[in-house]
Amino acid sequence: MKKKILLSFTLLLTFCVLGQTKESDNYPKTGDGEPVPPKMAPSSQTNQYSNNQIGTEYDFVLNDRYRNYEKIPLDKDALIIYDYDGTIKSFNIETKKVNWTFAASDSTVTYARNKMTLEDGVLYVPFHNGELYALNHKTGQKFWEVKIGLKNGALNKMMINQIPVIHGDKLYFVTQHENKNIYALNKKTGRHIWNYQLEYPYNHMPVLYSNEKIFVPNAPYFYSFDAETGKALYARGFKTGMYSRPVSDGKRIFIADLSRDLFALDPEKLDILWKKDLPEGAVDHKMVYENNQLLLATSHNFYALNPETGAVVWQTEVPKKEHAESRFTLKQLELFNNKIYAYNNKSTFFVVNSIDGKIEKEIDLQNDPISNIQILDENTAFFYCEVGLIKLNLKTKKEDLLYIRSSIQSDPKENYILLVR
């Protein structure tokens, strides 16, 4: 991999230098003294619509394959942990033992900033320095690895909050800072298919696939691309940053801004179909579509909206604790079997009926969650705290510490866990 990086970087510099040379006397000569133009790599047959086809030190794509892609039977006793120290662990929830551990090759990756996707037993894991891996979820062995950009460093956060989005044989994600591209890779090989450079470097949300298109929030812009070719179709500007994860019902695209507005957009030309003012905003990742309802949480309320009109089907305000100065902010939301599971920043866990909005359970946790929620069944939930993995019995309210970390880092946060299903 190091040899390939050095070779690619050398070629890149050579191409840049040759591209700047204008004097024909500086070209290499043939036997009869005629100048010979430099040999350039053939143009991509899959990236013809890109506005960024020249690889720089920020967006060069390097790819290594280790074994042929294959579907892997699921290990249904496993829970995958993207730990806050930046390592990936497969944990057996029955034996309470770690199956394997994986880390990025770059030693500067010491905390988690992303999430992961599991499809057909293959785990796709991005790291904040631009490394992306396809792993056998049973063994942790690599199918392929990709490195986006040649510029590394603890301060160079290439990917943040990314969940690789897969459709067909393609995998999609966005990068940020100097890179700020959307990429499409072949999910079986990691091979680069197409990319497009976005206007702004603030890409903290995953993309959405719907209607044979890819939808991308990019600060005050919202883009649509042809998913197959990468051709940019439309971009709509807004007054403020679009910082929620977009979702779709197949007919509309839903996305919220940094303030208090929720939009429904036409997937064809991104026309605004309706806009909803949500007090206290902060939708972020807390929005899903299910059973013809748009379910979401703001800081202090749960909502169910009619996706066609934005009308409120029901609204449930999180009750204020006795003697508390204010209500606490909802941080996570997960939907499972018509139940909403959520918690706030003061470790109160909620179970809400998604049909009528009734709060069915309110549990004061002993451990502070710092991850998403995973639901095994109606009585069992998992979350991560700074000490390790917690199994919560929703019937008895008991919290069992299944996996204990060997040490606790300062300011632990941004964990992600994934039950193998």
Side-chain angles (χ1 to χ4, degrees):
M1 184 72 172
K2 291 182 179 178
K3 291 182 179 179
K4 183 173 290 187
I5 291 175
L6 291 174
L7 176 59
S8 300
F9 190 57
T10 302
L11 290 173
L12 176 63
L13 291 177
T14 302
F15 291 164
C16 291
V17 171
L18 289 172
Q20 295 171 358
T21 302
K22 296 182 179 180
E23 299 297 327
S24 62
D25 288 342
N26 292 332
Y27 285 127
K29 301 293 192 299
T30 61
D32 58 3
E34 292 297 319
V36 178
K39 292 182 178 180
M40 304 295 286
S43 60
S44 171
Q45 299 301 309
T46 62
N47 202 31
Q48 65 269 34
Y49 297 109
S50 175
N51 64 346
N52 181 28
Q53 298 187 26
I54 300 175
T56 70
E57 63 178 337
Y58 293 103
D59 49 31
F60 217 72
V61 181
L62 303 169
N63 172 226
D64 266 341
R65 290 182 65 188
Y66 298 94
R67 52 183 50 82
N68 290 332
Y69 169 93
E70 61 176 321
K71 296 181 180 180
I72 308 297
L74 296 182
D75 178 4
K76 295 183 180 180
D77 289 333
L79 182 145
I80 311 297
I81 300 169
Y82 201 153
D83 210 335
Y84 59 76
D85 62 3
T87 61
I88 306 294
K89 298 178 178 68
S90 170
F91 181 76
N92 188 303
I93 57 178
E94 295 299 326
T95 65
K96 301 181 182 180
K97 293 182 179 179
V98 174
N99 299 316
W100 53 262
T101 299
F102 184 87
S105 62
D106 186 352
S107 60
T108 65
V109 180
T110 56
Y111 60 97
R113 294 301 303 267
N114 291 285
K115 299 168 174 61
M116 54 203 165
T117 300
L118 179 69
E119 186 192 68
D120 293 331
V122 179
L123 189 68
Y124 300 89
V125 185
F127 290 86
H128 69 70
N129 69 333
E131 294 181 27
L132 174 65
Y133 294 88
L135 306 176
N136 181 326
H137 86 286
K138 279 190 171 182
T139 65
Q141 290 181 312
K142 293 183 287 187
F143 287 110
W144 52 257
E145 69 176 284
V146 163
K147 179 68 174 70
I148 306 295
L150 304 175
K151 190 176 180 66
N152 290 325
L155 300 179
N156 190 44
K157 307 300 186 296
M158 190 76 74
M159 288 186 277
I160 291 180
N161 237 351
Q162 288 305 298
I163 305 173
V165 171
I166 295 174
H167 181 78
D169 284 344
K170 293 183 178 62
L171 179 150
Y172 306 92
F173 61 96
V174 288
T175 57
Q176 57 172 11
H177 291 304
E178 293 89 345
N179 182 284
K180 61 180 183 182
N181 279 261
I182 173 175
Y183 288 94
L185 306 181
N186 185 305
K187 75 172 185 182
K188 295 182 178 180
T189 65
R191 181 178 61 84
H192 169 269
I193 298 176
W194 59 259
N195 68 284
Y196 192 96
Q197 190 172 74
L198 304 171
E199 184 70 21
Y200 285 91
Y202 316 112
N203 299 308
H204 306 327
M205 291 292 162
V207 306
L208 168 71
Y209 175 91
S210 182
N211 300 81
E212 299 181 351
K213 299 177 181 66
I214 296 295
F215 297 92
V216 186
N218 177 240
Y221 284 106
F222 192 69
Y223 288 84
S224 64
F225 294 87
D226 182 277
E228 181 67 23
T229 66
K231 182 179 181 180
L233 300 175
Y234 291 93
R236 171 171 286 279
F238 293 86
K239 293 181 180 180
T240 187
M242 309 306 287
Y243 284 128
S244 77
R245 183 181 182 182
V247 300
S248 176
D249 65 353
K251 299 178 182 179
R252 291 158 283 264
I253 307 299
F254 307 102
I255 186 166
D257 65 15
L258 266 175
S259 182
R260 52 194 292 164
D261 290 329
L262 172 69
F263 298 88
L265 306 178
D266 173 21
E268 294 305 314
K269 295 185 178 181
L270 303 184
D271 294 331
I272 297 176
L273 302 177
W274 54 257
K275 183 176 81 169
K276 182 72 176 177
D277 182 8
L278 297 172
E280 82 277 329
V283 172
D284 197 44
H285 282 261
K286 306 188 298 290
M287 181 164 60
V288 294
Y289 172 80
E290 189 76 19
N291 296 331
N292 201 35
Q293 289 191 126
L294 186 63
L295 302 167
L296 58 96
T298 58
S299 293
H300 308 137
N301 286 269
F302 295 102
Y303 288 91
L305 303 182
N306 183 319
E308 296 183 10
T309 64
V312 175
V313 178
W314 55 257
Q315 176 183 351
T316 301
E317 186 176 17
V318 176
K320 182 179 177 181
K321 291 286 187 183
E322 188 178 359
H323 306 305
E325 295 182 2
S326 63
R327 290 168 295 172
F328 301 125
T329 301
L330 292 166
K331 302 297 291 183
Q332 291 287 336
L333 180 147
E334 183 78 18
L335 183 68
F336 183 80
N337 285 354
N338 293 322
K339 304 287 185 184
I340 296 171
Y341 299 84
Y343 64 81
N344 64 19
N345 61 329
K346 290 299 180 181
S347 304
T348 304
F349 193 98
F350 300 94
V351 180
V352 181
N353 189 308
S354 68
I355 306 301
D356 58 17
K358 179 182 177 181
I359 297 179
E360 297 183 350
K361 294 182 187 294
E362 187 174 342
I363 303 171
D364 291 325
L365 300 172
Q366 302 302 308
N367 296 279
D368 297 333
I370 58 171
S371 76
N372 60 314
I373 304 163
Q374 287 287 272
I375 306 299
L376 180 64
D377 53 47
E378 63 180 7
N379 291 322
T380 310
F382 295 93
F383 63 85
Y384 210 72
C385 68
E386 65 176 5
V387 179
L389 179 67
I390 299 294
K391 178 181 178 181
L392 172 64
N393 187 313
L394 295 168
K395 190 174 183 179
T396 65
K397 303 182 181 181
K398 181 182 178 182
E399 298 168 51
D400 289 327
L401 183 58
L402 300 187
Y403 166 69
I404 304 176
R405 299 187 87 256
S406 59
S407 62
I408 297 176
Q409 293 183 333
S410 60
D411 192 26
K413 57 183 178 180
E414 296 185 274
N415 271 75
Y416 190 72
I417 60 175
L418 187 64
L419 277 168
V420 173
R421 302 175 187 264

